[in-house]
Amino acid sequence: MTSLTDWGRRIAVSVRALTHRTESAAHRRGVAPFLPRLFVDRFTHLGGISDAEFRRQLSECRSFDDDRWAPYWSTFADRYLARADEALSRLGAPASARLLDAPDPSALTALGEALESAATILADRGTVADPEAPARFVVEHPEASDAVVAMDGFIKAVVYDFVAAWPGGSPQRQRAYRRSSRLSEALLQAMAPTMGYDVEVLDIVLPGTTDRVHGVLALPIGATNMPTVLVSNGLEGTIAETLFPLLAQRDAGLATFVMEMPGTYSYSEPMTVASENVYSAVIDFLAADERIDAERLGIMGFSFGGYWAARMAAVDPRLKAVVSNGPLTHRSFGVLNAIGMPEVMLSTLSRTLGATSTAGLLRKVLKLSLQQLYREIGIPLLVINGARDTLASTRDSIDLAVAAPNAQLVLYADDDHCAMGNAEHWSLLSTRFLCEHLLAPSTK
């Protein structure tokens, strides 16, 4: 149960959000009190960054303003890129600058060969990357020292630029997003042969719009008739945030297409209920790929991506299994759940939905309710969340799993949104679930 003290804190955050006084408060107190509770875990887990180091850096950040926030965090990305480039120079490999503007295949090949001995630092990092893993690996494999420094530098640069880009929507943040995306995609393509993957960076045209879906398709080399999972992240997530942890499950026998949610970084159109058409277009694209078995398609989503995973499971019969982690489906769209939501998150949600006022935002989120579709999800459904979600209503996860006729619910006691504290457990659980329902040969 939420304590009176916590309710007081949440109300104070909301008052500052509604009166647009968060920025002035951040100048005095720093930005940390006005961020989601899981902010630190999110980036330290992805980057293998020391919790203490990241919290120190966060404590010195005093503004959400685009011209201060983005350059502050990109400074750390610059430092790690410089370290990586020094190590790459010693290895005779191309510098990072050659990877930022349409890298040629020869540069990617050379990078992959230079970093091959350190592939495990990327491929086996999992959902909670260990900050000490690179140092331990160097002790065991001193001959790979430069490759490890370069690999770790690249990954941390990707993550710090992701922090700089968070939560998107402004010029400096979008600039950081583009660099983070290009570096991550170049790294994935360079390391793909060592990991036994074909990695394709794709832009799927959306008919009748100026938008396109930017995503990454990862399949085992030589794949045919592959069961494939469409993966969608949340409100301000990136492809790297989702795909890097999934690499540890690469031997499960599943192909993966990872996309960012409509209305976020790489899109020009806002997200609406009609964004179903975006996901349908991606499913069309995957089903038409000769390497993919159109009869064995699944979908997995996190946070707002969990909303879309559940929604598409209800409306698209081509999907055969679904994992919805931390979904917002109905109660999360109510006014009560918005109390305590930081201003930066409210503005991000408004931008994603194309809302221009608080009243307009409320109207738009209410239209998103999935409550009437719960019982339409007849395929196997796994719902995951923390029992003490501070970003969405845990009741949404419970109600969805209770109403859907073929659902399982896994709630982690004392955990928060998307059960990040148990990520290693549910990552394996999700993979087993998808394998159970997708690996059996189809009649295609």
Side-chain angles (χ1 to χ4, degrees):
M1 179 178 291
T2 305
S3 68
L4 289 176
T5 300
D6 191 54
W7 270 113
R9 183 195 63 79
R10 292 173 63 181
I11 291 170
V13 168
S14 289
V15 168
R16 287 191 174 92
L18 292 172
T19 57
H20 303 293
R21 291 190 291 114
T22 300
E23 178 68 10
S24 60
H27 291 171
R28 300 189 307 273
R29 301 175 56 192
V31 298
F34 310 105
L35 289 167
R37 288 188 180 181
L38 296 173
F39 185 84
V40 172
D41 287 350
R42 179 178 190 173
F43 295 106
T44 56
H45 290 183
L46 179 62
I49 300 167
S50 159
D51 184 273
E53 178 184 13
F54 192 85
R55 288 185 186 278
R56 178 186 58 76
Q57 294 163 346
L58 184 62
S59 71
E60 296 173 3
C61 184
R62 298 276 164 169
S63 176
F64 289 103
D65 183 77
D66 192 42
D67 290 331
R68 296 178 65 183
W69 172 277
Y72 176 79
W73 291 106
S74 283
T75 297
F76 302 112
D78 292 340
R79 293 175 187 172
Y80 279 106
L81 269 187
R83 294 182 194 178
D85 282 340
E86 290 175 4
L88 289 172
S89 177
R90 292 191 292 270
L91 292 167
S96 59
R98 286 189 60 189
L99 306 173
L100 292 174
D101 295 311
D104 62 84
S106 63
L108 294 176
T109 299
L111 180 65
E113 291 173 351
L115 301 185
E116 181 177 3
S117 60
T120 187
I121 302 299
L122 173 66
D124 301 311
R125 61 196 301 101
T127 54
V128 183
D130 183 355
E132 302 302 322
R136 286 200 304 270
F137 190 83
V138 169
V139 170
E140 296 170 3
H141 306 278
E143 73 285 356
S145 176
D146 282 334
V148 170
V149 170
M151 178 72 80
D152 187 54
F154 264 119
I155 293 170
K156 285 185 168 60
V158 166
V159 174
Y160 274 110
D161 265 340
F162 176 22
V163 182
W166 186 90
S170 53
Q172 295 269 24
R173 284 175 165 89
Q174 288 299 106
R175 189 174 298 113
Y177 162 76
R178 288 191 292 271
R179 186 169 75 162
S180 180
S181 295
R182 289 169 181 167
L183 284 173
S184 65
E185 289 163 6
L187 186 59
L188 287 164
Q189 289 179 299
M191 301 311 301
T194 301
M195 296 187 293
Y197 263 162
D198 282 325
V199 170
E200 300 176 8
V201 178
L202 301 170
D203 287 295
I204 301 173
V205 175
L206 298 173
T209 77
T210 58
D211 249 334
R212 82 282 188 279
V213 177
H214 187 73
V216 173
L217 177 63
L219 310 96
I221 293 174
T224 58
N225 295 329
M226 284 297 298
T228 301
V229 181
L230 165 58
V231 185
S232 180
N233 52 25
L235 188 62
E236 10 64 64
T238 63
I239 290 170
E241 180 184 22
T242 306
L243 187 50
F244 279 11
L246 288 176
L247 294 175
Q249 310 294 328
R250 64 191 177 280
D251 295 329
L254 300 170
T256 304
F257 180 81
V258 180
M259 61 178 280
E260 291 165 5
M261 192 182 76
T264 59
Y265 295 102
S266 61
Y267 298 87
S268 58
E269 298 294 325
M271 184 186 80
T272 68
V273 171
S275 296
E276 281 181 12
N277 297 328
V278 175
Y279 288 91
S280 292
V282 173
I283 295 170
D284 291 342
F285 181 90
L286 296 175
D289 192 314
E290 294 182 352
R291 299 166 297 177
I292 291 172
D293 188 343
E295 299 298 320
R296 295 189 290 166
L297 295 175
I299 188 168
M300 177 165 62
F302 305 96
S303 191
F304 231 124
Y307 165 89
W308 284 109
R311 187 175 197 98
M312 296 311 297
V315 302
D316 197 312
R318 293 173 292 180
L319 297 170
K320 300 300 188 291
V322 54
V323 177
S324 180
N325 188 333
L328 301 81
T329 62
H330 178 68
R331 295 173 186 265
S332 298
F333 302 137
V335 173
L336 187 63
N337 195 71
I339 297 174
M341 185 175 290
E343 184 175 351
V344 66
M345 298 304 296
L346 286 172
S347 62
T348 302
L349 184 58
S350 295
R351 183 178 63 253
T352 299
L353 297 176
T356 57
S357 66
T358 301
L361 176 60
L362 181 59
R363 286 194 298 270
K364 287 177 180 291
V365 296
L366 290 176
K367 290 180 180 178
L368 296 174
S369 174
L370 286 185
Q371 191 176 41
Q372 301 304 314
L373 293 178
Y374 291 167
R375 295 190 180 279
E376 302 300 318
I377 304 174
I379 62 175
L381 163 65
L382 175 62
V383 182
I384 299 169
N385 207 354
R388 299 176 64 85
D389 193 330
T390 59
L391 278 180
S393 171
T394 302
R395 286 295 312 181
D396 277 349
S397 297
I398 297 170
D399 293 346
L400 172 62
V402 168
N406 194 12
Q408 302 174 42
L409 173 65
V410 177
L411 284 182
Y412 292 90
D414 298 321
D415 209 342
D416 206 324
H417 188 55
C418 291
M420 284 182 61
N422 288 275
E424 292 176 320
H425 184 268
W426 61 247
S427 178
L428 293 171
L429 181 67
S430 299
T431 300
R432 286 199 299 268
F433 177 86
L434 291 167
C435 287
E436 177 184 351
H437 296 289
L438 297 178
L439 285 189
S442 72
T443 57
K444 179 178 177 179

